[in-house]
Amino acid sequence: MSIVFIVAVIACFYMAWNIGANDVANAMGTSVGSKAITLKQAVLIAAVFEFAGSVLVGAKVTQTISKGIVDPAFFGDNTVVFVYGMLLALIASGIWLQLATYFGWPVSTTHSIVGAVVGFGVAAGGAKYVKWDKIAGIASSWIISPIFGAVIAFMVFKIIEKLILERDNPIRRAKKVTPYLVFATVFILILSFIYEGLKNLKLDLGVVEVTLIAVGIAVVVALLSSISIKKIDETKSDNEYKTVENIFKYLQIMTACYVAFAHGANDVANAIGPLAGIVNVMATNTIASTSGVPLWILTLGGVGIVVGIATWGYKVIGTIGEKITEITPTRGFSAEFATATTVLMASKMGMPISTTHTLVGAVIGVALGRGLAALNVKVVKDIFASWIITIPFTAVLTVILYNICDLFLF
Amino acid sequence: MSGIKDLFPKSPFSNMLEHIDKVSQCIDKLELLFNELKAKNYDKVELLANDIVKLEEEADTIKDMIRKNITKNIMIPVDKGELLAILTAQDGIADVCEDIARLFTLRKMEIPDELQSAYQDLVDAILNSSKKAVAAVRDLGDLFEVGFKGPEVEKVTKIFDELEASEKAADEKGLEFTRKILALEGKESPVAIFMWLRIIKVMGDLANISEKLSNRFRLLLN
């Protein structure tokens, strides 16, 4: 059994590495492209906040993957089957991602692992081993999340437009409105940090305390921001919109952190979900359906992602950042705020969703608000279509691997 | 399949600004040409005309590229047809500059003394309208930034009102010039009169196409 465990740990680390190497870039790209942050800053922000998101908020989604789709209880005493199955799902998912990386396809790590786990469930015991109601919930979250991203991004951009851009003195308006935007972003971020987030660090706080802390910190940061932008020259000039955009660069630094945090919270599960399931089963040697996710597994996932960013991901972020230069800070802020909020909400609900799809949805929201100069609709279709190939591929691959294993081992 | 790096093609507005730069240079060269003609420096007129021809070609290249890029795969914040109509009009300005310049190279035209002020009035009116058209297009970037609403719209609307006033003035000055030219029947060579009539018409076209641009542009601002 211990060999299986070691292989599982390696496979899990590899998946986490892959998320850091390829997926994170989609989350950070818009901030680098608009020149709100440099590549170095992006890597630093990603490393810190992806890790924080993974460890502090990643448990719920992890549990969905580790036991929400294929319930280990179905296997009774047959723990070996469950363990191998999860391992194979992990491996199949990793193979698909490696292929996709090689060919440059923007596939979702979330779809990969969900497809693979479903494949395992079906292979092991037929359709009855899969919790189809959970799958239905996950599938609908895949449809809802880009729509949510679009709606929120549209609203945020319209607010910026109405309150700042289409007014007489946009710079003065920007100085007035920015602290409120700062408050909103910091509030949601801190709230997600500490509400249920510190359970793993054994700090459980009630709703009231949490809200008060979040409000308090957000107010302080908002006040600091309003002080630091007080000195900006309000005189109307030819460059006034440039000044407004420059103010929003600082806001976009915040949303970059926010997106990285949300992404880590939702996607770490794609790497550690199977491992958590395996460890849970092996530890008790029975199949118990309740327990949290051990801290070391969350940390392993977080570290894997950071290593992925540091060794490969920075290149991808750089490439994307160079090409996405048409997006300005006001637009980038709107899209990122919407994406991060949606992904974080999904994470709190334990729903594994695709950050990239949500981001594309948010971008479409901005485009529908007439905020984007040009959007390539064909690329949007390609990105949204990728799950149609991903899920069957990983599911079938897992089924194949499982049957091979079945022949030789069981 | 491509990644999110290909989500955002180049902004059509920046391309429009590149194009209008070429158009603006055509207008500037034309302004110099009008002055050199007054001073009877026909060599300089020839040189400036060649410059304008070259600039118009460069504008055409940019125009073709813009047309190629606005495919059905791309989503832009304004009506594609309207944007391309504005592009056609602004390219038309460069075309008319070229036509005017070419006409002046066909024959060493001399401005009769009694017509000097009529000539200058017409020149001023048509240059004014075309420069206003350039100024309006140059505001496209800011208009997009603010979502085509608010004070920027008022700013551009004002430019168009002034443009339309200039176009009316150009019509009147063109008519006046024509009358004065025809009054010289018998005194001036018939070929000169004939050429002037053609030149006056094409000069008037410069103001007309500028007004066409403002009409199409206004549709973006609703």
Side-chain angles (χ1 to χ4, degrees):
Chain A
M1 266 301 195
S2 54
I3 298 184
V4 173
F5 176 71
I6 293 173
V7 174
V9 167
I10 295 175
C12 161
F13 190 85
Y14 167 67
M15 272 290 280
W17 182 91
N18 216 315
I19 294 174
N22 291 302
D23 219 41
V24 169
N26 288 344
M28 308 302 295
T30 43
S31 308
V32 177
S34 72
K35 307 263 187 316
I37 54 179
T38 63
L39 184 55
K40 278 210 177 91
Q41 292 168 331
V43 171
L44 197 60
I45 289 175
V48 169
F49 283 90
E50 291 270 345
F51 183 82
S54 306
V55 172
L56 295 179
V57 189
K60 262 222 163 101
V61 184
T62 304
Q63 288 186 312
T64 302
I65 305 234
S66 67
K67 56 189 191 206
I69 302 174
V70 174
D71 195 339
F74 290 151
F75 291 83
D77 285 331
N78 219 340
T79 60
V80 179
V81 175
F82 180 80
V83 168
Y84 271 94
M86 277 300 186
L87 178 58
L88 293 173
L90 195 53
I91 292 174
S93 187
I95 293 176
W96 171 242
L97 286 181
Q98 194 52 53
L99 261 174
T101 307
Y102 180 73
F103 287 114
W105 300 331
V107 299
S108 161
T109 52
T110 304
H111 299 156
S112 294
I113 196 67
V114 171
V117 172
V118 169
F120 149 56
V122 169
K128 64 183 190 310
Y129 271 25
V130 176
K131 283 166 132 175
W132 294 108
D133 57 334
K134 197 73 178 180
I135 292 293
I138 295 177
S140 44
S141 74
W142 288 346
I143 298 175
I144 296 177
S145 49
I147 297 178
F148 236 70
V151 168
I152 298 178
F154 181 88
M155 289 192 328
V156 172
F157 179 66
K158 281 300 170 190
I159 290 175
I160 295 175
E161 210 182 57
K162 279 221 138 36
L163 293 185
I164 300 177
L165 291 172
E166 54 176 79
R167 300 295 201 92
D168 249 320
N169 195 333
I171 301 181
R172 184 185 316 146
R173 298 296 311 168
K175 286 162 74 173
K176 273 212 166 92
V177 175
T178 298
Y180 292 97
L181 295 173
V182 171
F183 177 83
T185 312
V186 175
F187 176 69
I188 302 180
L189 189 56
I190 302 286
L191 198 63
S192 9
F193 251 75
I194 51 185
Y195 184 59
E196 288 179 9
L198 298 181
K199 265 204 187 126
N200 265 317
L201 304 183
K202 305 285 184 270
L203 271 174
D204 207 357
L205 303 164
V207 179
V208 177
E209 288 124 331
V210 160
T211 314
L212 283 175
I213 297 177
V215 168
I217 299 180
V219 165
V220 167
V221 178
L223 282 174
L224 284 173
S225 71
S226 94
I227 294 173
S228 60
I229 59 176
K230 240 190 168 61
K231 296 206 190 82
I232 297 180
D233 189 3
E234 280 178 21
T235 50
K236 297 194 55 120
S237 67
D238 271 337
N239 269 338
E240 54 187 5
Y241 298 115
K242 200 130 205 285
T243 310
V244 172
E245 292 291 347
N246 281 339
I247 295 177
F248 268 84
K249 279 189 183 171
Y250 288 103
L251 283 167
Q252 229 190 330
I253 297 177
M254 279 181 3
T255 47
C257 302
Y258 187 18
V259 170
F261 185 82
H263 178 257
N266 202 284
D267 276 38
V268 73
N270 303 338
I272 67 176
L275 180 64
I278 292 173
V279 164
N280 182 27
V281 155
M282 285 170 70
T284 59
N285 210 28
T286 54
I287 303 202
S289 257
T290 55
S291 62
V293 179
L295 186 59
W296 72 268
I297 296 184
L298 289 165
T299 311
L300 177 69
V303 168
I305 294 180
V306 173
V307 172
I309 299 173
T311 54
W312 187 267
Y314 71 92
K315 286 188 216 164
V316 186
I317 298 177
T319 310
I320 293 188
E322 268 164 40
K323 291 214 147 194
I324 310 189
T325 50
E326 290 290 341
I327 198 157
T328 58
T330 44
R331 281 67 166 166
F333 172 83
S334 311
E336 286 167 21
F337 186 91
T339 305
T341 305
T342 308
V343 173
L344 208 48
M345 269 197 322
S347 308
K348 288 293 187 183
M349 293 176 8
M351 282 294 153
I353 61 171
S354 163
T355 307
T356 305
H357 281 209
T358 311
L359 178 68
V360 173
V363 162
I364 293 175
V366 176
L368 289 172
R370 300 172 83 193
L372 274 188
L375 182 69
N376 190 329
V377 182
K378 182 169 179 308
V379 172
V380 170
K381 287 190 197 149
D382 284 345
I383 292 178
F384 279 140
S386 65
W387 68 272
I388 298 178
I389 308 176
T390 301
I391 299 204
F393 187 93
T394 51
V396 167
L397 184 56
T398 309
V399 169
I400 293 174
L401 290 177
Y402 180 85
N403 283 320
I404 294 176
C405 249
D406 201 18
L407 264 148
F408 290 113
L409 292 173
F410 303 147
Chain B
M1 274 203 256
S2 39
I4 74 163
K5 57 181 170 45
D6 295 320
L7 259 185
F8 307 100
K10 181 148 180 247
S11 156
F13 302 120
S14 9
N15 287 333
M16 296 280 281
L17 290 177
E18 276 177 42
H19 183 270
I20 204 70
D21 268 345
K22 294 289 173 193
V23 174
S24 176
Q25 287 174 48
C26 286
I27 297 174
D28 290 340
K29 296 269 176 192
L30 190 64
E31 185 168 16
L32 292 173
L33 190 152
F34 283 137
N35 289 341
E36 299 293 353
L37 187 77
K38 233 173 154 170
K40 298 200 188 142
N41 298 334
Y42 296 113
D43 302 325
K44 294 232 173 77
V45 168
E46 185 91 26
L47 285 172
L48 286 165
N50 288 339
D51 287 343
I52 293 177
V53 169
K54 208 162 128 301
L55 284 168
E56 195 273 338
E57 268 173 45
E58 288 166 19
D60 269 345
T61 311
I62 301 178
K63 173 192 73 178
D64 290 337
M65 178 193 69
I66 298 177
R67 289 219 174 115
K68 210 164 67 94
N69 285 342
I70 301 196
T71 63
K72 63 176 166 61
N73 279 337
I74 202 176
M75 178 178 158
I76 62 176
V78 296
D79 184 283
K80 285 179 194 169
E82 289 308 334
L83 194 66
L84 288 175
I86 295 173
L87 178 63
T88 304
Q90 73 187 54
D91 195 66
I93 294 178
D95 283 345
V96 173
C97 288
E98 189 193 21
D99 289 343
I100 298 174
R102 276 228 163 96
L103 277 175
F104 279 121
T105 63
L106 293 176
R107 184 183 188 279
K108 292 194 164 76
M109 301 300 295
E110 281 188 33
I111 309 168
D113 291 326
E114 48 277 72
L115 264 53
Q116 289 286 340
S117 64
Y119 168 82
Q120 194 56 50
D121 284 347
L122 180 57
V123 164
D124 288 341
I126 66 174
L127 286 179
N128 196 16
S129 34
S130 56
K131 282 181 184 174
K132 291 259 181 287
V134 168
V137 175
R138 284 216 163 111
D139 227 31
L140 254 182
D142 280 351
L143 277 170
F144 158 68
E145 169 74 17
V146 303
F148 297 90
K149 294 195 193 85
E152 282 297 325
V153 172
E154 286 159 30
K155 184 170 149 200
V156 172
T157 309
K158 204 161 139 282
I159 295 178
F160 287 143
D161 290 339
E162 289 167 13
L163 195 164
E164 274 149 36
S166 278
E167 192 268 341
K168 277 199 171 48
D171 274 347
E172 286 168 23
K173 301 302 175 187
L175 215 53
E176 197 186 304
F177 197 170
T178 306
R179 279 199 199 100
K180 288 203 164 130
I181 273 284
L182 291 173
L184 297 178
E185 184 181 351
K187 282 208 291 186
E188 278 284 341
S189 115
V191 177
I193 296 184
F194 172 75
M195 279 300 289
W196 274 120
L197 292 178
R198 268 191 72 184
I199 289 171
I200 293 170
K201 171 172 183 313
V202 183
M203 282 173 77
D205 284 345
L206 190 63
N208 291 342
I209 191 135
S210 302
E211 198 203 12
K212 232 186 205 151
L213 187 149
S214 97
N215 288 340
R216 308 297 326 218
F217 205 111
R218 279 190 199 263
L219 293 172
L220 288 186
L221 305 175
N222 290 340

